Amino acid sequence: MNTQELIDTAKKMVAGGKGLLAMDESNPTCNKRFAKLGIPQTEEARRAYRELIVTTPGLGDSISGAILYDETIRQRKKDGTPFINVIADAGIIPGIKVDTGAKDLAGHPGEKITEGLDGLRERLSEYFQMGARFAKWRAVIALGEGNPSRGCIEANAQALARYAALCQEAGLVPVVEPEVLMEGQHTLERCCQVTEEALRTVFSQLHGQGVMLEGMILKPNIALPGLTCPQQESADAVVDATVHCLLRSVPAAVPGIAFLSGGQPAELASERLNAMNVRFKSRMPWELAFSSARAIQQPALEIWRGKDSNVVAAQQALNHRARCSRAARRGEYDAAMERTPATIAQVAKPAA
Ligand code: 13P
């Protein structure tokens, strides 16, 4: 393990007011999103979509690192250039999702355990050779009647810690993602309790596995009331709760916290991240960044719909959401940004 390189990479991932773009949807997840929009669920369609993303002009102004999927890291532009070279040439650090998905946790109805530890050392070594410099592993924690169980939180935290230790051994910065899901009727307070318990357990396990905190990034959820909770909350309430929870559970040695978007509407995700940075940026020990998939990609995907004629408009929409995320991360986002000429692409009608 080259300690200094890991520390430098982790710092770069959250430097310059930028954040991470997650474009690591597994084939089933990507296909599901394509199916909703009538896009063919083929390897070529996934390749074309990822080419649209990585060739978006100016993406590197807002995005410090891009998380790829195993299929994507091996793909190329139509002209033969490997995606990983296109990304690196744009000044974006290539990353890779290395978990193999969340499966049912035996003995715990309604709960999941993320798999992928078998053979991970060898896979990490291959990804490093290919040029990846960081990795991602997502654990999911669902709230429900009596859930999450302690067994689910512990099993996922231990898997995250073993993954993180293997990453650092291989020279890759681990992005540690324990995601408390938004689905459910739970209150903001309940989400905070669970998020805090999950994070405390994760950091205890990271310590147990000897993970160097300065060489990792935490990717948590923002604390939110459940999607069907009758009492939704203001951006300020959400931000207060999130910061409170993080201060109690995340060591100051961690260089950055990059929030997942978790299916929040794109504009709301920007509004909340902005409120957090406006109010707390100068008082937090960590950078407060983003690591989003849907909040950056969704409008672009809806414009593209698998048509070459929509590529430019889709790239403009992608770049716009990346710029809004960057502004939010700097505390400079304003709803008026959604009405500037740069957003024309977002409202442009995609070709039928
Ligand atoms: P969302 O921003 O769409 O939640 O995706 C982030 C991610 O990488 C999930 O693992």
Side-chain angles (χ1 to χ4, degrees), residues 22 24 136 138 177 179 219 260-263 291-295:
D24 61 333
K136 182 194 103 171
R138 171 177 180 251
E177 180 178 5
E179 175 175 3
K219 175 166 173 166
L260 59 94
S261 62
S291 176
S292 318
R294 284 163 287 180

Side-chain angles (χ1 to χ4, degrees), residues 253-336:
V254 172
I257 295 181
F259 294 98
L260 59 94
S261 62
Q264 298 169 83
E267 294 175 18
L268 201 51
S270 295
E271 186 192 333
R272 288 168 171 160
L273 182 60
N274 189 66
M276 185 140 25
N277 276 294
V278 166
R279 296 187 40 222
F280 295 103
K281 188 178 167 65
S282 58
R283 288 188 277 148
M284 293 298 116
W286 339 269
E287 294 287 337
L288 297 169
F290 57 89
S291 176
S292 318
R294 284 163 287 180
I296 295 179
Q297 290 185 45
Q298 194 57 29
L301 183 61
E302 286 171 17
I303 289 171
W304 178 57
R305 290 177 187 258
K307 301 223 162 6
D308 284 351
S309 52
N310 293 332
V311 165
V312 172
Q315 287 183 326
Q316 286 171 353
L318 187 83
N319 200 30
H320 173 66
R321 286 263 54 95
R323 292 174 76 84
C324 286
S325 303
R326 180 187 69 172
R329 188 236 182 290
R330 296 175 177 198
E332 295 167 359
Y333 172 79
D334 191 301

